Amino acid sequence: MAFEGDFPATGTRENWDAIVVGTGIGGLTAAAYLAASGRKVLALEAYDVAGGNSHMFRRRGAYEFDVGVHYLGDCGHGGILPSILSGLGIEDRVTFRPLDQERYDRVVLPSVTVEVPASWDRYRERLVAAMPEEAAGLSEFVTVCAAVADANRGRLLGVPGSDVMNLPPEIRRWNHRMLTQLFDHCGLSPRARTVLAATSGNYATAPNQTLVVLHANMVDDYMRGSYYPAGGGQALVAAFVEAIESHGGALWTNARVARIDVTDGRTTGVTLADGRKLNAPVVVSNADYRRTVLELAEGAFPAAAVKRSRDATMRLATSTTYVAMDRELDIPNGNVWYWPNEDIETAYRKVIEGDFDELPFAFMSFTSIKDHGTATVCPPGHANFEVMTLVPPGYEPWGVSEGPVNGGNYRRDPAYQKAKQRLTDGLLDLAEDILGPIRPHVTHVETATPLTHERYIRSSGGTPFGLATWGRAGHRPDVTTPVGGLYVAGQNTRFGAGIVSVAVSGVAAASAVMGEELMPEVYRGKVYGNSELLPERAPGWDPLEVSRGAGRKGERGLPRLRALSEQQALTH
């Protein structure tokens, strides 16, 4: 079925009911719900393919790597993300594969290892078994986090009686205090703090800059089950794109927005980098929040909001090394968080101060195990995984003075190449501490830095995790703004970073536009989308091609995978 909204980026349509700037999961979710509500929606993406941090890329015609989708929490029956998909009628288009629910994360320190299960009670038991001398403090920590998370989740989903204010005072007081304060209250040692906050790489702030509610909510998601989408993050992106386009909306890629147009305090649409003006009374910005306020909608926000955004700080950035090998890995289906230093607060302080001599940790995520049997991940008998860490802020550690958004030409700079190679070697060293000698089997290796992330995502500070401070630590903007008709979604909003959180932000943005509380409704089973409109998926269906937008279907330049016989012939 063809729709009026199906135009390529070179199309001529000018008038829309809503325009979404940026197609990370937050923007796609907002666009899909607005399209399902009957609005003519245009989603604009500066890059060649939609997805943002959920994008995947291909190498050597044999391997697919996920940029940011490592594992997702609460994706079982009745989970938040499945409920969001169900509300659009696309729940059958994404399959969530469970990790090992008894050890979805393995926290490794030199003196202790804790295998994290998908259960607060079993988690408590394993913590106490590993560090019995701290049993009382560990137990209290788990009690507080589980209760705070459950109350906040219930409030989000409209569960009757769920409110932080209904918690006992001794627990309620921790909801908006810092993680370090709860550690201190529980009398926990540096080693115990490191074990408990080892997975803080999922939000990238130190314990003294992290609200208890943020940490509790993140852990709680995984305690409700840990999963990976079959086919990777791009399969999830493609399902949202299909929902948008089948309901009359459109996705334009290679379409960078230069300005959000505002007249008399109200949004009127956007102007693209090529000069085209597109009109809409509603704009949802899934772009970086600081760039939205200070650049895209420059002059539209009140002075106080401008100052707050200019003074804001970002969460730490990550660097990831993508590795492929010519042999499989015989390890459990879970991630590894390896902290060679058993004092997490010292490790974070060193990173923040710019110390690049010692990497704080290595997070290892094994796609070929999580998505075993999916032919696109890697050839049979091969392995595919990522090794990630946090890195110091700024451009100086990379030997350059400015980033790619401002025209910095960093990629072939000798100082940058040297720093990048040093980081790659360090991450491979940490990986070999856990996996043994892997270098003789490596068939492909490359590293993405914060400059890579800034180049493709245009995020302030090159971080995928958004704001650290916005007025005060932990405080973040809501999806509404002081500008009429302008809304925001994504990792900078109060809903937090991570795929599930940004999807919730997209639902919240659509709710604000529609004047309807969507999240409780879809959680209770209401369906806004019409699954009968969705396109058939032919043999050879490719989520990357779908994520270019219908107007570019069949266009040349899409990376393809080799035939299986060619993949099997891969050598060093």
Side-chain angles (χ1 to χ4, degrees):
M1 180 178 294
F3 287 91
E4 186 182 0
D6 291 338
F7 282 81
T10 55
T12 58
R13 178 170 179 163
E14 296 179 350
N15 299 315
W16 303 85
D17 296 328
I19 294 174
V20 176
V21 180
T23 61
I25 292 295
L28 290 172
T29 306
Y33 270 95
L34 292 173
S37 74
R39 291 165 171 83
K40 294 296 183 183
V41 179
L42 173 63
L44 297 170
E45 172 57 48
Y47 184 52
D48 183 61
V49 173
N53 288 317
S54 299
H55 171 60
M56 71 180 184
F57 62 94
R58 292 171 176 161
R59 290 293 184 264
R60 302 187 66 193
Y63 304 111
E64 284 184 345
F65 295 102
D66 249 315
V67 171
V69 178
H70 304 298
Y71 61 144
L72 306 174
D74 194 18
C75 288
H77 179 71
I80 290 178
L81 189 53
S83 295
I84 292 172
L85 297 175
S86 294
L88 294 168
I90 57 174
E91 68 278 12
D92 294 336
R93 303 216 149 199
V94 181
T95 299
F96 294 104
R97 291 187 161 189
L99 277 65
D100 187 335
Q101 303 302 301
E102 285 300 313
R103 54 185 65 82
Y104 70 83
D105 273 337
R106 184 155 55 106
V107 176
V108 180
L109 277 63
S111 68
V112 66
T113 295
V114 176
E115 293 182 328
V116 182
S119 161
W120 281 109
D121 289 339
R122 293 201 304 279
Y123 181 46
R124 185 199 317 265
E125 291 170 2
R126 292 190 186 176
L127 289 170
V128 170
M131 296 170 284
E133 69 281 3
E134 302 192 60
L138 292 167
S139 182
E140 183 166 7
F141 180 87
V142 170
T143 296
V144 168
C145 287
V148 164
D150 188 62
N152 279 281
R153 183 178 188 273
R155 181 172 57 181
L156 171 69
L157 300 176
V159 177
S162 292
D163 196 303
V164 175
M165 296 308 296
N166 294 333
L167 292 172
E170 64 272 18
I171 293 179
R172 183 175 68 236
R173 64 185 172 134
W174 293 110
N175 189 56
H176 284 98
R177 294 191 180 185
M178 294 297 170
L179 197 56
T180 292
Q181 293 174 293
L182 182 56
F183 286 155
D184 291 344
H185 170 76
C186 294
L188 296 170
S189 68
R191 182 177 73 157
R193 297 172 189 227
T194 304
V195 169
L196 292 170
T199 58
S200 58
N202 283 322
Y203 50 74
T205 48
N208 65 356
Q209 280 197 312
T210 302
L211 293 173
V212 170
V213 63
L214 168 66
H215 179 81
N217 287 348
M218 181 273 293
V219 176
D220 185 66
D221 274 352
Y222 297 116
M223 289 296 164
R224 297 175 185 275
S226 182
Y227 301 83
Y228 183 77
Q234 203 71 53
L236 183 62
V237 170
F240 280 111
V241 172
E242 289 175 331
I244 294 165
E245 293 181 335
S246 66
H247 287 85
L251 164 68
W252 293 359
T253 51
N254 287 335
R256 184 169 70 83
V257 171
R259 184 173 68 252
I260 297 172
D261 298 322
V262 178
T263 301
D264 296 329
R266 288 203 60 84
T267 303
T268 59
V270 304
T271 299
L272 300 183
D274 63 9
R276 279 179 295 167
K277 294 182 71 69
L278 304 171
N279 306 315
V282 169
V283 172
V284 179
S285 178
N286 186 215
D288 177 84
Y289 185 80
R290 294 182 79 239
R291 295 194 193 282
T292 297
V293 175
L294 304 177
E295 299 171 17
L296 293 179
E298 183 181 4
F301 280 75
V306 171
K307 183 179 188 306
R308 178 179 289 184
S309 298
R310 184 176 291 118
D311 295 343
T313 62
M314 308 305 295
R315 293 182 182 179
L316 290 171
T318 61
S319 282
T320 304
T321 294
Y322 301 91
V323 185
M325 297 169 51
D326 62 5
R327 68 172 176 85
E328 294 186 1
L329 293 167
D330 184 17
I331 57 177
N333 185 7
N335 310 299
V336 174
W337 295 86
Y338 173 42
W339 286 79
N341 184 324
E342 299 198 346
D343 185 344
I344 191 170
E345 288 164 321
T346 297
Y348 265 99
R349 186 176 67 250
K350 287 183 176 180
V351 174
I352 293 168
E353 291 174 350
D355 189 339
F356 216 1
D357 292 330
E358 180 182 337
L359 300 180
F361 66 84
F363 167 69
M364 285 164 261
S365 184
F366 308 95
T367 308
S368 53
I369 294 176
K370 294 179 297 186
D371 207 9
H372 186 71
T374 296
T376 55
V377 171
C378 62
H382 287 229
N384 167 339
F385 64 98
E386 303 95 44
V387 192
M388 184 186 82
T389 195
L390 298 178
V391 293
Y395 300 127
E396 292 76 13
W398 304 101
V400 298
S401 58
E402 62 179 355
V405 168
N406 293 325
N409 188 11
Y410 67 95
R411 297 174 66 191
R412 291 178 175 81
D413 187 289
Y416 173 75
Q417 290 293 335
K418 182 178 179 180
K420 183 177 176 180
Q421 186 59 53
R422 180 184 176 193
L423 174 71
T424 302
D425 292 339
L427 284 172
L428 290 175
D429 287 344
L430 292 179
E432 289 192 322
D433 285 349
I434 301 296
L435 302 174
I438 60 172
R439 281 180 168 92
H441 297 279
V442 169
T443 57
H444 181 82
V445 61
E446 67 178 287
T447 295
T449 71
L451 279 78
T452 315
H453 197 274
E454 181 186 321
R455 175 185 169 209
Y456 286 104
I457 310 297
R458 302 180 69 85
S459 65
S460 295
T463 176
F465 300 111
L467 295 162
T469 62
W470 186 69
R472 62 181 185 272
H475 188 55
R476 287 168 153 233
D478 203 346
V479 295
T480 57
T481 77
V483 180
L486 177 59
Y487 304 82
V488 295
Q491 72 269 28
N492 289 284
T493 67
R494 67 181 178 86
F495 296 96
I499 300 301
V500 177
S501 296
V502 297
V504 171
S505 80
V507 174
S511 295
V513 175
M514 296 166 60
E516 184 175 350
E517 288 294 330
L518 298 178
M519 195 66 238
E521 291 295 327
V522 300
Y523 182 67
R524 288 193 287 264
K526 185 170 181 177
V527 179
Y528 292 80
N530 184 352
S531 61
E532 294 182 0
L533 298 177
L534 295 168
E536 294 287 335
R537 289 181 173 178
W541 178 85
D542 188 345
L544 267 178
E545 183 170 38
V546 172
S547 301
R548 283 176 142 189
R552 298 182 61 208
K553 186 175 182 179
E555 188 174 304
R556 298 182 62 178
L558 184 72
R560 302 285 184 180
L561 295 174
R562 294 178 180 140
L564 182 59
S565 59
E566 294 178 283
Q567 293 182 23
Q568 290 173 324
L570 276 176
T571 65
H572 294 318

